[in-house]
Amino acid sequence: MVSSVTLTTPKLVPSQRHFANALKIQIAAQLANVKLTQEQGDAFSVQVDNVTVLDPNVAVRYITGDLAFNVSRNYVIEKEGQFGLLITKKKFDVVLKDIDQLVVQHKVFANTAQLSSVDAIYYGALHDALSNIDAAKYPALAAWAHLAGQSPAVQAAVDAISQQIQSKAPKKKHQVTEKKATQTTKITALYPATQKVNADVTFKPQPKDVKVTPVEGERNILITSALPYVNNIPHLGNIIGSTLSADAYARYCRIRGYNTLYICGTDEYGTATETKALEEGVSCQALCDKYNAIHAKVYEWFGLSFDYFGRTTTEQQTKITQDIFHKVNDNGYIVQDTMTQLFCEQCQRFLADRYVEGVCPHCLYDDARGDQCDACGKLLNATELLKPRCKLDGNAPITKDSRHLFLDLGKLQGQIEQFVEKSTVEGKWSSNGVNITRSWLKEGLRERCITRDLKWGTPVPLEGFENKVFYVWFDACIGYPSITANYTAEWEKWWKNPEQVKLYQFMGKDNVPFHSVIFPGTELATKENWTMVNHISTTEYLNYEGGKFSKSRNIGVFGTNAEETGIGASVWRYYLLSGRPESNDSMFTWNEFITKNNTELLNNLGNFVNRAIKFVLAKYDGVLPSPAPAAGDLEAKLAKDVNELLAQYVDQMEHVKLRAGLATAMAISARGNQYLQESNLSNQLFNDQRAQCDAVVTTAINLIYLLSSLIYPFMPATSESISLQINAPLRIIPDTFTIGILPGHKLNGADYLFTRIDEKMEDIWKAKYGGVKK
């Protein structure tokens, strides 16, 4: 590992080769976190741990430790030497096309926040050319330049070298990156010694090594999000549809002081897994292991706060599912019958629902699945399809009889209706959840098959059915208690404790019947005292730029893509939650994404927080005035308005109106901006009306403190940044606005919460995520 670097350069002037080479070294040193000393001399040289290196590209590789042999990397770095003279002569069009092709063809340029020697070398070489990049002509290069420009190492290097420029020519601004001021001292911790905070208002999170269990006398909230299928990468619609929405509510419950458990995991059994495993040529278990890890990583990047993220391919899943089945069967709610199924003579197998496609008998959609039509939403049996075809080989299957087990939902209809009427009123379900459930009940419930002729699933523990497994939608919802059982041996305190626990479940509208009818029916059929769903929160569909997400056609942003853009998770969370499709389908557009960042986040919340904190740092040395200043008319009016909005926020969040709750939090921020304007927070106010200025800064910092907790469910990383800047632990969400940060408290420093996104990025991102790659 390199310990020190000394860079010697002639006078640095933009557009000259020495400038580009010096920038390369600066970036490399920042990436490696190595101390760099810069000196002026007659010739360019780099001393790395007392070894003098004259070639800047070699020095970059040495500093970053990127020395292992790699054909693509060596070729790309060698090509940069050929481009250098042309770039210096500003013959950009000659080289940008070639470099764009290099980015596409050689996977050594960064597509995540982790940069390498190649990125340092090319960013330094191209810095003067970046303002000439046409995103439409060079989409791959433009996207890479934007991502690299987001790197703190690159930003720090550019700032450092720009301060040394001896030419008076103005520095060109990078047109495809965002404006960001230098943060000289990164705030990384709270400093209790300089805090003066009311301890009664601080949020005390549960220690991570302590299992969350229900507490008698407290409000115990159990939260689940629909278990995502393990056979794909979740897209933005999947994420807002269940996991992100559930996370926002879980975070609200915790910071409101409720005892909360949030459970999720991958749904791994069934036909969908078998089909995907066949496509990829791997075993079902290998496929599940692969995608479970992908899902977990995506959700971690988005900041989802599961207490436990598990999976359904476990011993607990088998044990609990089979136990439930035995009780349901013993109570007389399981019937046996022969079912006519589709059988592929070519494959020599019964075709489970997902192995069959054909024409929907209801809406005539020609690509309906054997279990459900995506066009009209009707649930189907595979034999109902018109013109059925085997998904594996395209042949027309024949019909053949097979004996199966059925859950007698018709026999349970009265109990299910009684449960639904009570729960929908007391739990205030979302309207689409209520409508979909009542539609099912109105049609009349009937026996529903719960077994399949598959190998990958929970085995059926009944004589004569040893070669069958449970249908995934019989045992998928049982994944919630089984995943909880893998988290804690005391899982029944959550799942068989309706007197003390309230269950909130989040899902897309296509999953409603399984959570509102089939799973509750199964619970009722056991005749045990299950914790049944109190509130169902559903979403409609999120579409993408006028169409649907499609991984096969490279359309839309999937979980792994969001990080590639270089935009932080807080912005993604804000955009998705502020447009959460609660009553109608919504549409993701890059234009709206950029606009919301630049106006709502940057100009509203970011401006209010930064303006107030910087003023206190500049005029009060970061210390809130003491003694406590008297509040005036402006403060009284602000408190009245904020308390009205705060009451709305709490009511909205209690009723899981997440989109409205976020809008109200932003309205409180806007009211804070208005307050600073009305108060005329300025040098003049500080000099001429100190007492009034003291009241303004004290009130503003405390309003920021309140905001940090109100936005915590939606943008936890932003909330944490505010907490570090004001040097105060997160506060619980109160019923009224009070002073929690006291006189004499010292702030930590200021940092920007958000950065501007250049509007030109819309075309770049559309080109990258909007269609099939050329």
Side-chain angles (χ1 to χ4, degrees), residues 121-149:
I121 289 167
Y122 270 81
Y123 198 93
L126 288 171
H127 182 258
D128 195 47
L130 294 177
S131 60
N132 292 273
I133 294 179
D134 184 335
K137 291 173 66 177
Y138 316 117
L141 178 57
W144 166 81
H146 171 75
L147 179 65

Side-chain angles (χ1 to χ4, degrees), residues 584-772:
N584 298 291
D585 290 355
S586 61
M587 186 71 65
F588 176 96
T589 69
W590 286 109
N591 180 273
E592 183 183 43
F593 178 81
I594 294 169
T595 300
K596 279 181 174 286
N597 177 83
N598 292 350
T599 57
E600 298 172 18
L601 290 178
L602 185 61
N603 294 346
N604 178 1
L605 180 61
N607 179 70
F608 172 54
V609 172
N610 193 253
R611 179 182 176 188
I613 291 176
K614 277 192 168 182
F615 189 89
V616 176
L617 291 170
K619 297 299 179 183
Y620 292 85
D621 197 25
V623 179
L624 288 194
S626 182
D633 291 342
L634 286 176
E635 288 69 43
K637 181 64 167 62
L638 174 71
K640 177 178 179 295
D641 292 347
V642 168
N643 282 330
E644 289 176 359
L645 290 169
L646 181 57
Q648 291 178 28
Y649 172 91
V650 170
D651 182 70
Q652 289 157 347
M653 295 300 290
E654 291 292 331
H655 293 96
V656 202
K657 303 295 184 184
L658 303 180
R659 188 175 64 191
L662 177 53
T664 301
M666 295 299 287
I668 293 175
S669 173
R671 185 62 181 88
N673 275 309
Q674 179 187 340
Y675 171 67
L676 295 186
Q677 290 300 108
E678 292 173 343
S679 303
N680 187 31
L681 183 64
S682 61
N683 292 337
Q684 183 180 3
L685 185 70
F686 178 79
N687 293 328
D688 299 343
Q689 296 175 273
R690 180 65 60 83
Q692 174 61 23
C693 192
D694 290 352
V696 172
V697 297
T698 299
T699 302
I701 294 300
N702 274 279
L703 184 56
I704 289 170
Y705 194 27
L706 173 64
L707 273 170
S708 70
S709 65
L710 299 184
I711 67 169
Y712 173 76
F714 309 102
M715 296 177 283
T718 300
S719 183
E720 181 181 0
S721 176
I722 294 173
S723 171
L724 289 170
Q725 291 179 57
I726 63 177
N727 190 30
L730 285 176
R731 65 163 298 157
I732 57 173
I733 294 176
D735 291 318
T736 57
F737 174 38
T738 58
I739 299 298
I741 297 182
L742 307 175
H745 175 88
K746 185 174 178 60
L747 308 184
N748 260 349
D751 199 358
Y752 290 107
L753 297 178
F754 309 101
T755 56
R756 183 180 176 278
I757 302 176
D758 197 301
E759 288 80 2
K760 294 182 179 65
M761 292 309 301
E762 178 183 356
D763 292 333
I764 294 172
W765 285 326
K766 276 185 178 180
K768 185 170 185 179
Y769 302 113
V772 178

Side-chain angles (χ1 to χ4, degrees), residues 495-508:
W495 284 99
K496 294 184 179 180
N497 190 5
E499 295 80 13
Q500 295 186 7
V501 175
K502 295 296 183 184
L503 171 60
Y504 288 72
Q505 297 195 287
F506 291 77
M507 70 209 68

Side-chain angles (χ1 to χ4, degrees), residues 506-523:
F506 291 77
M507 70 209 68
K509 63 181 178 181
D510 53 332
N511 286 336
V512 169
F514 309 107
H515 292 77
S516 66
V517 176
I518 296 176
F519 186 45
T522 304
E523 292 173 308

Side-chain angles (χ1 to χ4, degrees), residues 229-235 238 291 294-295 298 551 558-560:
Y229 271 131
V230 78
N231 66 330
N232 58 25
I233 299 172
H235 58 63
N238 303 137
Y291 281 98
I294 291 173
H295 276 260
V298 167
K551 190 66 176 175
F558 287 73
T560 49

